[in-house]
Amino acid sequence: MCIELIRPSPGVAVLTIDNPPVNALSTPFRLALLENLRKVEADDSVHAVVLTGNAKTFCAGADLKEFTNGTAMDYPSLVDVLIPFILAMSKPLVAAIGGSALGGGLELAMWCHARVATPAAALGLTETTLGLMPGAGGNQLLPRAVGLERAVNLILNGRIQAAESFKGTALIDSFASQDNLIEVAGQLALSMAERGQPFTHLSLRRVEHPQAAGFLAVARAQTRARKDCTNGMLVALDAIELSLSLPATEGLKREFALFCPVMESDEARAIRHAFFAEREAPKVRDLPASTPAQEVRRAAVIGAGFMGSGIAHCLARAGIDVLLHDVSVEAAERAVAKLATYPEIEAQRVSVLRELSELAHVDLVIEAVVESMDAKIEVFRKIDPWLRSGALLATNTSTLDVDVLAQATSRAPEVIGLHFFGPAPVMRLLEIVRGAQTSAQAIATSLQLARRMKKVPIVARVGPGFVGNRIFDRLLDAALELAAEGVRPDQVDRVLEGMGMKMGPFRTMDLIGNDVLSKARGGRTDTAGYALAEALVGRERYGQKSGQGWYRYGVDRRTALADPEMEALLPAGSARALAPAEIIDRCLLAMVNEGAHVLEQGIAQRASDIDIAFLLGYGFPRRLGGPMLHADRSGLAVVEQKLLDLRRRTGSAVWTPAPLIMRLAREGGVFNPY
């Protein structure tokens, strides 16, 4: 049942949206709404109508799955059927908003004759965050409700605000508590019915602005300059401009015509893929849904450096009491003092762990010491005897074997990897690494902890570099190979950053430290790329920290400047130019091929987990949906052929297509089935 019809008082009909989990505007809901609107319109005992949801959600907007399967415009569509019906009703329809009204849900509410909301109700047109734009009149009605400038800001940023922030605007006619929301909405609807037609409506208002054309021109320029600019944002501005000169109903038709190509674009499909992938990632295929998660009330973090203090920040912000330990008590004290200054962390939430005996009272320990197996084993052996039975012992390692660490303890089932990405309070990705003996409860507890910290988890199995770093290393290798062939590092970075990556591979290597990467590789020189990287280290070009690496850096040690001296290190002392498309192919094909190996070996559960890892952890452009989706869109037969061509041209076996790619290419398959 998508709509419940009740009559709480004489003359009033209440239609309650009941379409779990988020009251989406799916086809069954639209059918039920139309049927019930017809029913109350034909009922002479009904004088006024209230449309409402529940305390959590009025309506969360379109069902995105229908955009994917092509049923979003099935009868009765919001634009062609429901909105015209509402406008033609002889009885006023009032939206009673107790929870969130987002996207198409807010558009539906704005096409009602009036709106009553609780002060905390969350309102917003969030379509641009999904690569889309409002397509059911939001660009026409929101400027009429709150003014042109505020509407542009809200729409372009997909911003959600509390209903109380719209007090004094035409968006909300009246406020009520959750307890009397229906009563207030019903009274308003009856008073409108008594006044008779024509009913007041947002569509009858005009958009007033002294310099609308100039304002919109500036907004377009600023939007184009944004790193996260999408076509949906730019087209939304075109649709908003229509509100200045056209009646709302005519603007609605033109807006919808603009919306459809945006909805069907590759960019919007990729961003929708990312949306679904985030929701799929926490689902572990062999983890029973009934697995109990242990509540984490108190945790300890070992290591008070950049990562350790960042992890403590994440835990404390989630309402968990944290003990922070470091071999240097002074370092731990400084980190605790700094954390205490953050307004989102409650006072006394973080304190210094001075004695290991205090670990007897914690539910979780996360070590974040130097990336050395010997150092981490030593920490685990010291901690293990002090922990209570059932307490989790986690490592923040990004590369090391979690099973080896588990063997150093008496609690292998409670040992797990929790790989945070830096800076931990900012980065949303959490790579959960399950060992061979990690218990189902440990996994469930880690997933619950991720939700509590507002992280997006992917669950990986043990393997060198797990999911993210293993594939990212192949990107770095491919970049090094290009440099060894004479392609300037700054050209590679410029092309990949132009594609949308937040930071190119050579800038990333300079940030990490070329000496650190050399140590991780064991000083290997068995490829031309590795030999070139070692030549840099031999010249103490470590990166930002030394002022020189693949780039040179100014006094601030942040701004990367192309360094002519790099040419002397390239083959034959001269650089060669390469077409941007070939640079992109080389780097992305390396990632995709390694991703296929990761899937074959069961390190990653699904291709979309790899996409999420790179979207959230490595700055891959969201508009491309991730490296594996990008490969799907290119066609895996094309990917296979390009890999074979590279193997032939370079003579390197690393370009041999993974068996999974070859099989899917033969079958016409894809990595991501949805």
Side-chain angles (χ1 to χ4, degrees):
M1 179 173 62
C2 297
I3 290 284
E4 181 184 8
L5 170 61
I6 62 171
R7 292 178 173 81
S9 59
V12 177
V14 177
L15 305 180
T16 302
I17 306 169
D18 183 19
N19 190 27
V22 293
N23 285 348
L25 282 165
S26 61
T27 301
F29 162 66
R30 298 195 306 275
L31 281 166
L33 179 58
L34 180 61
E35 177 186 348
N36 281 277
L37 288 176
R38 284 173 172 163
K39 186 182 298 184
V40 296
E41 178 71 356
D43 189 339
D44 291 339
S45 68
V46 173
H47 306 302
V49 187
V50 172
L51 178 65
T52 191
N54 54 51
K56 185 176 180 181
T57 309
F58 172 77
C59 176
D63 184 340
L64 292 182
K65 291 180 180 177
E66 291 197 339
F67 287 166
T68 301
N69 63 29
T71 62
M73 305 306 167
D74 283 1
Y75 182 87
S77 78
L78 188 59
V79 170
D80 294 329
V81 179
L82 283 168
I83 291 171
F85 188 93
I86 290 170
L87 292 176
M89 286 179 66
S90 63
K91 301 165 185 181
L93 176 64
V94 173
I97 308 170
S100 58
L102 306 177
L106 181 56
E107 287 176 306
L108 174 61
M110 287 194 290
W111 284 110
C112 293
H113 298 101
R115 286 146 300 284
V116 177
T118 60
L123 310 180
L125 295 176
T126 53
E127 289 90 344
T128 55
T129 65
L130 295 167
L132 300 167
M133 55 170 278
N139 300 294
Q140 309 310 307
L141 297 185
L142 194 61
R144 287 172 161 87
V146 302
L148 180 63
E149 294 193 16
R150 188 173 184 185
V152 166
N153 180 275
L154 291 168
I155 290 170
L156 294 187
N157 294 291
R159 191 159 290 152
I160 299 171
Q161 294 185 340
E164 62 185 344
S165 71
F166 296 101
K167 187 175 182 179
T169 73
L171 186 60
I172 303 299
D173 296 271
S174 184
F175 289 92
S177 68
Q178 187 65 47
D179 290 339
N180 70 347
L181 179 65
I182 302 301
E183 180 183 353
V184 172
Q187 290 172 350
L188 175 59
L190 282 174
S191 67
M192 294 175 69
E194 289 172 2
R195 289 196 299 271
Q197 294 181 307
F199 305 127
T200 57
H201 199 280
L202 282 180
S203 63
L204 303 177
R205 297 174 61 89
R206 292 178 57 85
V207 181
E208 303 288 349
H209 192 283
Q211 295 179 319
F215 169 73
L216 289 175
V218 170
R220 283 191 180 90
Q222 292 176 336
T223 301
R224 287 192 183 96
R226 288 171 57 159
K227 287 188 176 181
D228 64 343
C229 175
T230 64
N231 186 51
M233 295 177 184
L234 296 172
V235 179
L237 284 167
D238 294 339
I240 290 169
E241 188 171 18
L242 299 174
S243 71
L244 300 171
S245 58
L246 294 178
T249 51
E250 181 61 28
L252 168 66
K253 295 174 186 176
R254 298 270 293 276
E255 176 181 311
F256 184 66
L258 293 171
F259 168 82
C260 290
V262 172
M263 178 192 70
E264 294 166 357
S265 68
D266 285 344
E267 181 179 75
R269 290 177 189 274
I271 296 173
R272 289 201 298 275
H273 165 76
F275 176 87
F276 289 123
E278 280 194 29
R279 282 144 187 80
E280 192 72 14
K283 300 174 184 177
V284 182
R285 289 167 178 163
D286 62 345
L287 183 69
S290 59
T291 304
Q294 180 184 168
E295 185 176 358
V296 177
R297 296 187 181 89
R298 202 176 196 207
V301 178
I302 310 301
F306 173 71
M307 284 306 301
S309 58
I311 293 168
H313 188 162
C314 294
L315 294 166
R317 188 171 59 189
I320 297 169
D321 292 327
V322 183
L323 298 171
L324 186 58
H325 176 79
D326 198 276
V327 290
S328 166
V329 175
E330 292 78 11
E333 289 174 340
R334 285 195 300 271
V336 167
K338 184 175 181 180
L339 288 169
T341 65
Y342 294 114
E344 67 269 26
I345 297 177
E346 296 177 18
Q348 308 303 314
R349 180 68 76 184
V350 186
S351 56
V352 176
L353 172 67
R354 301 180 187 277
E355 301 292 337
L356 291 182
S357 59
E358 296 179 64
L359 293 175
H361 307 293
V362 303
D363 307 301
L364 164 70
V365 175
I366 303 175
E367 71 75 18
V369 302
V370 63
E371 188 75 351
S372 158
M373 182 63 82
D374 290 341
K376 291 180 185 294
I377 286 177
E378 181 182 0
V379 168
F380 270 39
R381 284 178 174 162
K382 285 182 178 179
I383 290 173
D384 185 37
W386 295 102
L387 294 182
R388 64 170 179 80
S389 176
L392 292 192
L393 180 51
T395 173
N396 183 52
T397 182
S398 59
T399 58
L400 301 177
D401 192 325
V402 173
D403 289 330
V404 172
L405 291 171
Q407 290 166 13
T409 74
S410 63
R411 58 182 63 243
E414 283 78 49
V415 172
I416 198 164
L418 294 178
H419 176 207
F420 290 76
F421 288 70
V426 175
M427 301 296 280
R428 295 174 60 215
L429 181 66
L430 179 66
E431 195 173 32
I432 298 174
V433 185
R434 56 189 296 186
Q437 298 182 61
T438 301
S439 70
Q441 185 178 47
I443 298 170
T445 300
S446 298
L447 289 168
Q448 183 183 76
L449 179 67
R451 286 193 296 273
R452 191 169 171 185
M453 292 187 295
K454 294 182 170 55
K455 302 286 186 186
V456 178
I458 63 167
V459 178
R461 291 191 182 273
V462 174
F466 315 127
V467 173
N469 278 352
R470 174 173 169 178
I471 298 171
F472 190 66
D473 282 349
R474 274 298 295 133
L475 169 62
L476 300 185
D477 290 350
L480 289 173
E481 289 172 24
L482 286 168
E485 293 174 16
V487 182
R488 289 180 61 108
D490 58 297
Q491 184 193 5
V492 175
D493 281 355
R494 190 165 55 250
V495 167
L496 292 180
E497 289 170 9
M499 182 191 76
M501 290 192 71
K502 290 187 177 177
M503 184 178 289
F506 291 100
R507 286 181 60 206
T508 301
M509 286 188 271
D510 274 358
L511 178 63
I512 296 170
N514 294 305
D515 53 332
V516 174
L517 292 168
S518 172
K519 183 178 179 181
R521 289 191 298 263
R524 289 171 55 188
T525 58
D526 53 323
T527 71
Y530 289 160
L532 178 59
E534 289 304 310
L536 254 71
V537 174
R539 297 187 182 207
E540 298 184 351
R541 297 180 68 111
Y542 301 145
Q544 286 189 12
K545 60 188 174 186
S546 66
Q548 282 186 314
W550 297 103
Y551 295 86
R552 62 183 174 87
Y553 296 86
V555 177
D556 65 354
R557 295 289 172 90
R558 291 179 179 273
T559 304
L561 304 170
D563 191 348
E565 291 182 18
M566 272 304 307
E567 289 195 23
L569 294 172
L570 298 179
S574 63
R576 75 181 182 98
L578 204 64
E582 188 170 350
I583 292 173
I584 291 171
D585 266 356
R586 289 276 287 268
C587 293
L588 294 193
L589 286 168
M591 296 170 66
V592 169
N593 204 34
E594 195 65 26
H597 287 303
V598 166
L599 288 170
E600 287 169 332
Q601 295 163 14
I603 306 300
Q605 287 194 99
R606 53 183 78 87
S608 60
D609 286 1
I610 296 173
D611 288 335
I612 281 297
F614 279 86
L615 291 170
L616 300 184
Y618 298 87
F620 197 88
R622 192 173 177 84
R623 63 180 181 80
L624 295 182
M628 307 309 279
L629 181 72
H630 180 70
D632 284 342
R633 286 164 53 180
S634 300
L636 296 188
V638 173
V639 168
E640 179 187 29
Q641 188 58 54
K642 286 183 175 182
L643 287 167
L644 290 170
D645 289 345
L646 280 168
R647 186 179 68 179
R648 183 172 57 255
R649 284 160 45 199
T650 64
S652 174
V654 299
W655 296 109
T656 301
L660 178 60
I661 289 177
M662 293 189 287
R663 177 174 64 80
L664 290 174
R666 286 194 307 271
E667 297 171 354
V670 292
F671 290 125
N672 292 287
Y674 62 88

